[in-house]
Amino acid sequence: MSDRSMKQRTYNILFHTHTVSGIVISVVLYVIFFAGSFAFFRDEFVNWERNSGVDVTDHITFSFDHLLDSVGQNYNLYGRDIELSKYYIEDRVSVNMTGTQSKTAASEDQLPKFFYYTPTDNSEATYAASYTLGEFLYRLHFLAQIKYPIGYYLAGLIAFFFLFAIITGFLVHWKKIVSNFYIFRPMAKAKTIWTDAHTALGMIGLPFQFVYAVTGAFFMIKAILIAPNVFLLFNGDQEKFYAELGYSHPHSKFIDERDAANYSIDEFVETTRDRWPGFNVTQVHLFNYQTTDMQLLVEGHLPYRSKFNGTGQALYQVNSGKLISERSPLEKASYLEAVKNILYRIHYGDYGGYALRIISFLLGIISCFVIISGVMIWLVARDKKHIPEKRRRFNEKVARVYMAIALSMLPVTALSFIAVKIFEPQGQSFIINFYGITWLLFTIFYILKKDLSFINRNTLLLGAVFGLLIPITNGIKTGNWPWVSYEKGLYHIFFTDVFWIILPILLLFAWKKTLKSGGPGGIPQKKVSKKTIPTKPIAEAVN
Amino acid sequence: MPANPKYLSSPLQRFAKISAGFLGGYLVTMSIHLALASWFDTANIVITSAYSGFILWAVLFVLAFLGKNGWKVWLLYLAITLLFGLICYFGIQNQSIV
């Protein structure tokens, strides 16, 4: 086979597999990227919803002794392992305790327990009661609402196929990367507009999308990497595997011997921070509580701006105060710990302050646009005379359903912010049902409208209008208008309101552009192409 | 676009290539990483596979479509899996002696 026709064949194969993989994953991938983009501001939205001020730090700022004392009044803590963790910047921490390991204890003490504890009022709350729209959007982006483990695995597989689509797309575009980098032809025919948008934004977002495809796949389907390792290299011993990878917390065995003395956990935490200045304590783990062999693990990290890979931990013997073992954050991180950390940092984008999160949000939304433009290319490219009418109508229906599901997320999300503010406090059921049902209704409405341009214009407009109503609703409900919240130092509330002023303004600009017919936002409804099937093969493009 | 029909495969070939890429690619990726992990520092190889595993798998998935015959791709991927499987096997034996 000649070199040129090999290249032609390769190009065609990569192009076709890119199209198929892209179209198959498009809707779900859009959901993941849309929800994921908002998830960068999860904590801001959560604290806006709760109308609460928080210490903006990864460090657990309140007294552990006070917490243990307060919780100890409602539960018999003797003999339990207790884990106190701050995963998010909220006004509460998670309390995760095993049942007591003492065989002589009452039956209710043998039950494990999980709840959130708020130090300001010593209150306890379940996961469902603490649920927020911020949490919902965060979990939506890995499809957690779909019954476990289906949602998780679906999200992971979509991320993996996204990686496939990125590689094929990049190879298809390879020759034109430099030549077409600045090309955008808004006055050309529909397919060209969508193609230019797709390739330009795809190139700009490429490193970002690559990172999220790989880390996303890792987070959700790492089990399929782990399983063969455990089975073949660790003789099925899962514990040993996790220990080898530095995930276990080795500690003393339980001895059923009460130690009635009072120890200050806060002091251990302070000692740790003295040795590692600036250390953010994100987790405290007590083993064999109130026994003679009680141990304490203090875990956390240095601020990311001072040391990117600065995780560390210290294990103490509580009754003697002795340090049993530690992994100092001041030392150079091992390759293992560095990779473990980096996979999370580059996905969460939490190491560069607001600037990084805002850029990440914009790149996420750009990725959404890459997906939409891909669907549009698919549709418009098949809008040709030689393709049977029936097929063209089917294609149009598919595109309409995809666009309705995807684009309606914007007004639905904005409406949900309003809803949780008006009807607060609300738990898990309300939020999931409100978002889900509203999304369904909007989707059906847009499908029935049978007009792609309308879906585009209308979602932008409603997104903007509902969006602007968000800070207004908040102001009326809580009195924390942006100038008030700023004054009071309630920065998460302030950020959320300002976010929902700036974003709607940008959406209105985009909406205005779609009003001009033939502009990039307007989707021409008429059958565009008058040409017949091109007789020249795609070899042109290869050259 | 849409694809020039002369480059499209028959349904059976499609099944062969897709399964070779997805399943075969997975087997090759895992066997290579397991072989490495059995001979070198296990933890470091495993954590590397967190990113290299998915990247290699995706690349193998793409390559599977470029073959003329999907069943030949299957054969190739299985052969590679066997090769690295053997290397892994000896690596495990070696570890238990050491």
Side-chain angles (χ1 to χ4, degrees), chain A residues 8-9 12-14 16-17 160-161 163-164 191 218 224-225 228-229 232-233 244-245 335-336 339-340 381-382, chain B residues 1-3 7-8 26 30 34 37 43-44 46-51 54-55 57-58 61-62 65-67 92:
Chain A
Q8 199 178 312
R9 177 177 174 274
N12 273 272
I13 289 172
L14 292 172
H16 184 59
T17 51
F160 176 66
F161 293 134
L163 185 58
F164 180 93
K191 191 177 111 194
F218 167 70
I224 63 178
L225 289 183
N229 276 288
L232 288 171
L233 299 180
E244 180 91 5
L245 282 163
Y335 172 76
L336 175 67
V339 173
K340 279 159 67 176
R382 283 150 184 75
Chain B
M1 47 193 154
Y7 295 116
L8 293 178
Y26 170 73
M30 285 319 299
L34 282 166
N44 284 347
V46 170
I47 206 64
T48 303
S49 74
Y51 55 94
F54 291 107
I55 296 172
W57 185 9
F61 199 173
V62 173
F65 289 98
L66 295 175
I92 297 173

Side-chain angles (χ1 to χ4, degrees), chain B residues 17-29:
Chain B
K17 289 179 185 176
I18 294 173
S19 59
F22 187 74
L23 286 171
Y26 170 73
L27 290 172
V28 171
T29 304

Side-chain angles (χ1 to χ4, degrees), chain A residues 177-205:
Chain A
I177 289 178
V178 175
S179 61
N180 281 26
F181 197 81
Y182 293 112
I183 288 187
F184 188 67
R185 298 162 280 193
M187 294 300 131
K189 70 176 198 252
K191 191 177 111 194
T192 310
I193 300 170
W194 291 117
T195 305
D196 286 348
H198 187 78
T199 51
L201 294 174
M203 279 312 303
I204 290 171

Side-chain angles (χ1 to χ4, degrees), chain A residues 26-101:
Chain A
S26 53
V27 182
V28 182
L29 192 65
Y30 185 97
V31 172
I32 290 174
F33 267 90
F34 189 90
S37 298
F38 280 83
F40 283 116
F41 306 117
R42 179 200 173 282
D43 295 346
E44 279 78 3
F45 297 154
V46 167
N47 293 314
W48 173 91
E49 198 177 327
R50 292 188 184 139
N51 199 40
S52 64
V54 285
D55 285 328
V56 182
T57 169
D58 289 342
H59 177 62
I60 301 175
T61 52
F62 54 82
S63 161
F64 292 96
D65 296 331
H66 176 87
L67 182 158
L68 289 164
D69 190 58
S70 167
V71 170
Q73 283 171 23
N74 298 326
Y75 298 91
N76 195 345
L77 297 179
Y78 172 73
R80 297 186 193 243
D81 288 346
I82 305 168
E83 191 180 76
L84 308 168
S85 317
K86 181 173 181 175
Y87 293 119
Y88 305 112
I89 298 174
E90 294 180 23
D91 59 2
R92 56 199 71 181
V93 282
S94 66
V95 179
N96 196 5
M97 46 192 188
T98 64
T100 179
Q101 294 157 90

Side-chain angles (χ1 to χ4, degrees), chain B residues 30 40 48 87 94:
Chain B
M30 285 319 299
F40 302 109
T48 303
I87 297 176
N94 187 52

Side-chain angles (χ1 to χ4, degrees), chain B residues 37-77:
Chain B
S38 68
W39 280 98
F40 302 109
D41 186 300
T42 311
N44 284 347
I45 301 288
V46 170
I47 206 64
T48 303
S49 74
Y51 55 94
S52 65
F54 291 107
I55 296 172
L56 179 60
W57 185 9
V59 169
L60 291 168
F61 199 173
V62 173
L63 290 175
F65 289 98
L66 295 175
K68 284 279 182 38
N69 185 342
W71 302 114
K72 284 200 187 145
V73 178
W74 252 121
L75 218 63
L76 177 66
Y77 282 1

